[in-house]
Amino acid sequence: MFLACYFACSRSAKRTAVTNANNMERPLRSEGRAHWLVSAVLMAGLFFSFPVGVFAQSVLVAGGQFSSSLYTHTAEVYNPATATWSPTANPITYAPPDPVGGLCGSNMALLGNGHVLVSGGGCTDSGDTTNAASLYDPLLNQWTATTSMNYGRDQFGMLALNGGNAFAFFGCSGGCLGPNNQHQGFNTVGTSSELFNFATNQWTIESIFDQGDNNGTGNLSTSNLNQSAVLLQGGQVLACNGTDGNITPFNTCEIYDPVGNSWSSTGSLPANEFGRRQLALLASGIVLTVSTVDGQSAFLFDPNSGVWNTTNSLPSPQFGGQLLLLADGRVLNCGGTLAADGITPVNTAQIYDPTSGTWSTTAPMGTSRMGHIAVRVGDGRVLVAGGVTSGSTILSSAEIFDPTLGTWSPTMPMTQAR
């Protein structure tokens, strides 16, 4: 289970599936259609929504944990028009070669041509971290192998930049004890980044930071994994937090500029605000996050000033909930845990209104969940699926939130618990 590692990871902890926190949505033009990117911190699996028709929008879920120690490399698609799930034509074409047997610690990005890239993963300390990658074609409903990353990595950041190429950065190798199967150690992998070009299906090495590299800034001058990241309106990447793979967590933030291929330090989060977190990009370009210390304080980051400021607190504590931008500009925070120990899942749902800067409580989910997905579909409703509920039970169930009515209703479950 991905409970002990949600806020800080240690070398002795087994690595679990963590993805980048990037709750913004943006259109990527391809074949005359808009492809929408939605991603989030997720232990239950990786997911993206993409159009399957002019008006329809579907949700792809890939990988994830289905038992206390096993992961899967299967994938399935949710069709909001029929409220049904269906498996992809084939499983993802690779699985990290370790005992968990599926995608663990991998990451995924929606590309500019509408295909979905999955890469990396591996959750043991035996050097089994992979650099393999696969592409999903939504028209064929099929996965095919593609060019491998230059670095084998897990628990790394990856998101699509403006233009639709995927940017992968930092992460762990060989359970952070390294080296991985490519004979790369953590100090190499944890300071590297690379770009996948969807037009050529090739990876190129981007900024590399190592200890002693004068180009390194902040904590990106040392090995780093499990950052929280979001794509800013200007096309830059904001990356915060992370750990050194041992015992040291970070509260610092950096910004990557793809034009200059460079990282620069920016304002740090408040003291003690360590650990993986959701970062939601508001329509104004401001970034919203919730405290990992008390689960109730909230902070806003202004990319223009590089400063974090407090905003109004949540009505009740909520740790590790999914932050999702709604169609009307508000932000939904659903699920998570009652306390920072990550033990007790909640069904709490709260909404942030950026106009007033205030939070309000809305109807709770039908099921308590942590490590679930939350994604906005084409009609503005929100699909929530999977995760872990009370008793450490991994869920296949799913439900729909209607922001207009403020109500939740069940929908068909996934074909597999994730």
Side-chain angles (χ1 to χ4, degrees), residues 199-217:
T200 62
N201 287 350
Q202 296 297 316
W203 293 90
T204 55
I205 296 173
E206 298 294 291
S207 295
I208 297 179
F209 299 99
D210 56 36
Q211 295 170 342
D213 185 341
N214 292 329
N215 292 324
T217 62

Side-chain angles (χ1 to χ4, degrees), residues 22 31 75 81 116 125 136 167 175 182 231 239 250-251 260 283 299 324 330 332 356 365 379 387:
N22 176 13
E31 301 176 348
V116 177
D125 290 336
Y136 174 74
F167 180 59
Q182 293 75 48
L231 188 68
F250 306 130
N251 73 328
F299 309 101
L324 180 67
R330 296 179 300 162
L332 172 69
S356 62
M365 295 186 296
D379 59 7

Side-chain angles (χ1 to χ4, degrees), residues 25-49:
E25 298 183 64
R26 64 185 179 87
L28 299 174
R29 293 292 172 183
S30 174
E31 301 176 348
R33 297 176 182 173
H35 296 275
W36 294 91
L37 167 64
V38 187
S39 74
V41 171
L42 184 61
M43 85 165 169
L46 309 173
F47 73 96
F48 283 87
S49 65

Side-chain angles (χ1 to χ4, degrees), residues 224-247:
N224 200 296
L225 74 151
N226 278 345
Q227 303 82 17
S228 307
V230 65
L231 188 68
L232 302 175
Q233 282 187 348
Q236 303 92 344
V237 177
L238 173 67
C240 295
N241 297 117
T243 79
D244 67 352
N246 187 11
I247 59 174

